[in-house]
């Protein structure tokens, strides 16, 4: 560095170093990342092939922190997207008592957010590592090269050329039913726009389309304001699609907004529609917040102040559910509708849960009803036909031979099992695809696609300033996308890694169709001397890329390509 006459520093020639890094590596500012083990990155025509290029201005011979341009050259340039990996604050990285399979446990800056390089400048900081995330999507089959060059404003550029092999075949369609709950109120709150305004509908479509693009095919549908993550006696912003009228003691309903919501989901490619829970969370003892126009005056007719089994709510359900089913049938989505009673009841809530379910069974008893709960006694007593246990309780349900089993995780799954916390290594998130394939899991649920509130929704938070719900849960649990400019969601590393998790499932299923399930299960176990379970699995960045290369090679061999 050279001191100027003005007391600052002048830019001098900058020396850069770069290296190719795999997509399962997280590049921290203060640690040199491990170079990618593979020399070629491969994938099928209809999957995303990702890698990173890390860069640093070394301390030895350093100039000054300088802006850089990141340039990309390739014969398939129109199919390549380059994004800067942005470090975000993690105040609560993980709960006390967590296991040791975390990258770090201290508060700090963690790599997570992916911002298009065209929308932001990047800098070469002295003795700090940064990276760009590179995706290849929709490229023609064949061997290609992608060159990433980091060009400091003054100094020598540094380049890395990566070989890409796009395989001449396509993965089969996704079979996993995958939901990450859409919080409609969060969009209105963050952008300060009116719920159901034209701008709101525009932004909502962007959030839904972004979700579907990464494999989310079931959308939480707020027929009434979802009774989720709300303090007892409190409420969240009203996000109710169905207009409810009570005139001279008779209920009628308006479905215009619901129809528009379904149209957006259809355009985006969503396949399933999750109706908001019909009773409150963590106990199923009260009714959800429902606004009703009573003889011309809007009222909060239902909410925490009304018992779940009250005569008023029983009468309402007797009118609401048949009308809703008829509308969903008319829209052609009833057969792809998922219903919920109450979220995360404990066995102590068994009596109230069973009473609530009995109220709705005359109307939706023939429908697909499932709930997130982790006590296998709910299933064994017949209270729940389609349980969704957390992945740290799932083996009880596997042992009970539950058919069509789902799983979920949230903040409580921080020991041993897979999750998506920012402080976790990415292989621990992605391994879930192998586990779900092995155990024939048909659905996955997570509660936070875009939850931008604190615990119990006392107040909204800034997701750019706090990634842990203001100390509520380990960073990364509350959302997968950041709210970007003009309503455009900004993806995270975690969202991309889960997309790879689903691609792994599809590839394993494809190979099974060409060989046998026994063959694929044996391939999964290669190199691991214990049975792979939801608790015990390979914990390295090499296992999954190596497995996929084997699977890909066998598929192409069986296809004769």
């Amino acid at each position: 560095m050279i001191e100027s006459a003005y007391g600052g520093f002048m830019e001098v020639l900058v020396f850069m170093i770069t290296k190719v890094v795999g997509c399962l590596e997280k590049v921290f500012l203060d640690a040199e990342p491990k170079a990618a083990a593979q020399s070629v990155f491969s994938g099928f025509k209809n999957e995303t092939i990702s890698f990173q290029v890390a860069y640093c201005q070394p301390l030895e011979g350093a100039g000054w922190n300088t802006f850089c341009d990141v340039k990309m050259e390739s014969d398939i340039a129109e199919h390549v997207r380059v994004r800067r990996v942005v470090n975000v604050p993690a105040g609560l990285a993980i709960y006390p008592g967590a296991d040791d399979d975390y990258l770090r446990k201290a508060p700090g800056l963690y790599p997570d957010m992916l911002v298009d390089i065209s929308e932001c400048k990047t800098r070469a900081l002295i003795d700090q590592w940064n990276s760009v995330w590179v995706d290849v999507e929709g490229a023609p089959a064949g061997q290609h090269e992608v060159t990433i060059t980091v060009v400091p404003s003054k100094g020598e550029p540094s380049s890395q050329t990566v070989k890409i092999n796009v395989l001449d075949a396509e993965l089969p369609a996704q079979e996993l039913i995958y939901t990450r709950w859409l919080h409609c109120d969060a969009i209105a709150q963050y952008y300060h726009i009116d719920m159901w305004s034209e701008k709101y509908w525009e932004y909502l479509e962007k959030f839904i389309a972004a979700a579907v693009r990464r494999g989310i095919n079931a959308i939480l549908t707020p027929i009434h304001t979802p009774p989720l993550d709300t303090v007892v006696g409190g409420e969240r912003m009203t996000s109710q699609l169905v207009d409810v009228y009570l005139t001279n003691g008779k209920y009628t309903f308006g479905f215009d907004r619901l129809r528009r919501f379904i149209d957006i989901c259809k355009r985006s490619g969503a396949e399933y529609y999750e109706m908001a829970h019909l009773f409150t969370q963590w106990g199923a003892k009260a009714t959800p917040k429902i606004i009703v126009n009573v003889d011309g005056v809007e009222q909060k007719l239902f909410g925490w102040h009304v018992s779940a089994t009250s005569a008023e709510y029983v009468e309402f359900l007797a009118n609401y559910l048949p009308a809703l089913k008829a509308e969903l049938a008319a829209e052609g989505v009833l057969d792809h509708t998922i219903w919920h009673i109450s979220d995360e009841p404990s066995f102590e809530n068994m009596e109230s849960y069973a009473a609530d379910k009995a109220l709705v069974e005359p109307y939706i008893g023939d429908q697909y009803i499932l709930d997130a709960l982790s006590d296998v006694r709910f299933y064994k007593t017949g209270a729940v036909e389609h349980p969704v246990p957390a992945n740290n309780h799932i083996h009880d349900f596997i042992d009970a031979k539950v058919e069509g089993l789902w799983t979920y995780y949230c903040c409580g799954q921080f020991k041993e099992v897979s999750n998506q916390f920012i402080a976790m290594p990415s292989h621990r998130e992605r391994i879930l695809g192998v586990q779900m394939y092995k155990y024939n899991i048909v659905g996955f649920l997570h509660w936070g696609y875009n939850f931008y509130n604190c615990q119990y929704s006392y107040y909204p938070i800034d997701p750019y300033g706090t990634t842990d719900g203001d100390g509520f849960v380990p960073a990364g649990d509350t959302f997968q996308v950041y709210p970007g400019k003009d309503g455009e969601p900004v993806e995270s590393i975690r969202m991309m890694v889960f997309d790879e998790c689903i691609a792994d499932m599809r590839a394993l299923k494809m190979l099974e169709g060409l060989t046998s399930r026994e063959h694929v299960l044996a391939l999964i176990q290669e190199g691991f001397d214990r049975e792979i379970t939801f608790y015990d699995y390979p914990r390295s960045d090499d296992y999954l890329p190596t497995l996929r290369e084997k699977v890909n090679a066998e598929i192409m061999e069986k296809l004769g390509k």
Side-chain angles (χ1 to χ4, degrees), residues 246-316:
L246 182 58
T247 307
N248 297 324
K250 182 179 180 181
Y251 279 107
T252 55
F253 304 93
F255 294 110
D256 287 348
R257 285 196 301 268
L258 177 60
R259 291 168 189 151
R260 188 167 181 178
F261 187 93
I262 290 172
D263 283 345
I264 287 174
C265 291
K266 287 178 178 178
R267 279 199 304 272
S268 300
E271 299 178 63
Y272 301 94
Y273 301 82
E274 278 185 279
M275 299 299 103
H277 297 70
L278 296 170
F279 302 89
T280 50
Q281 193 174 24
W282 309 313
K285 294 181 179 179
T287 59
K289 173 185 176 182
I290 299 176
I291 304 300
V292 179
N293 185 309
V294 182
D295 295 323
V297 180
E298 286 198 345
Q299 299 180 25
K300 186 173 69 174
L301 202 60
F302 300 104
W304 288 110
H305 60 292
V306 180
S307 166
T309 56
S310 64
E312 301 96 316
Y313 197 55
V314 170
E315 180 187 2
F316 171 75

Side-chain angles (χ1 to χ4, degrees), residues 303-477:
W304 288 110
H305 60 292
V306 180
S307 166
T309 56
S310 64
E312 301 96 316
Y313 197 55
V314 170
E315 180 187 2
F316 171 75
L317 291 173
N319 289 271
Y320 184 47
L321 294 178
L324 186 56
K325 278 183 66 178
E327 179 61 31
L328 295 169
E331 289 293 315
V333 301
L334 183 60
D335 290 341
H336 280 207
T337 296
I338 297 166
W339 301 82
H340 295 297
I341 305 300
S342 174
D343 188 47
E344 294 189 311
S346 65
F347 197 68
E348 288 70 29
N349 310 132
M350 176 69 177
E351 185 176 340
S352 56
Y353 183 92
D356 293 347
K357 189 177 180 185
L359 291 181
V360 302
E361 279 186 323
Y363 315 110
I364 61 169
D366 59 338
Q367 296 291 292
Y368 191 39
I369 304 173
L370 60 84
D371 278 309
L373 47 85
S374 292
D375 193 313
V376 74
R377 289 176 290 181
F378 273 94
Y379 175 75
K380 289 184 174 179
T381 59
V384 176
E385 185 179 354
H386 301 291
V388 185
N391 58 341
N392 61 333
H393 293 282
I394 194 169
H395 281 284
D396 291 340
F397 293 79
I398 292 170
D399 293 342
K401 295 182 170 43
V402 177
E403 293 186 8
L405 189 57
W406 286 50
T407 192
Y408 82 98
Y409 53 54
C410 63
C411 59
Q413 288 62 58
F414 64 96
K415 289 184 179 180
E416 298 182 320
V417 294
S418 176
N419 211 313
Q420 63 155 25
F421 304 141
I422 291 175
M424 273 186 173
S426 289
H427 64 250
R428 187 166 172 178
E429 178 183 359
R430 184 172 162 183
I431 192 65
L432 187 65
V434 171
Q435 294 166 330
M436 290 194 292
Y437 168 81
K438 177 179 178 180
Y439 290 99
N440 290 311
I441 303 303
V442 304
F444 176 77
L445 181 155
H446 182 259
W447 71 282
Y449 172 60
N450 65 321
F451 182 79
Y452 307 138
N453 282 345
C454 72
Q455 186 176 19
Y456 301 131
S457 298
Y458 285 117
Y459 50 84
I461 57 93
D462 174 10
Y464 291 92
T466 174
T467 56
D468 55 15
D470 201 17
F472 163 32
V473 291
D477 189 34

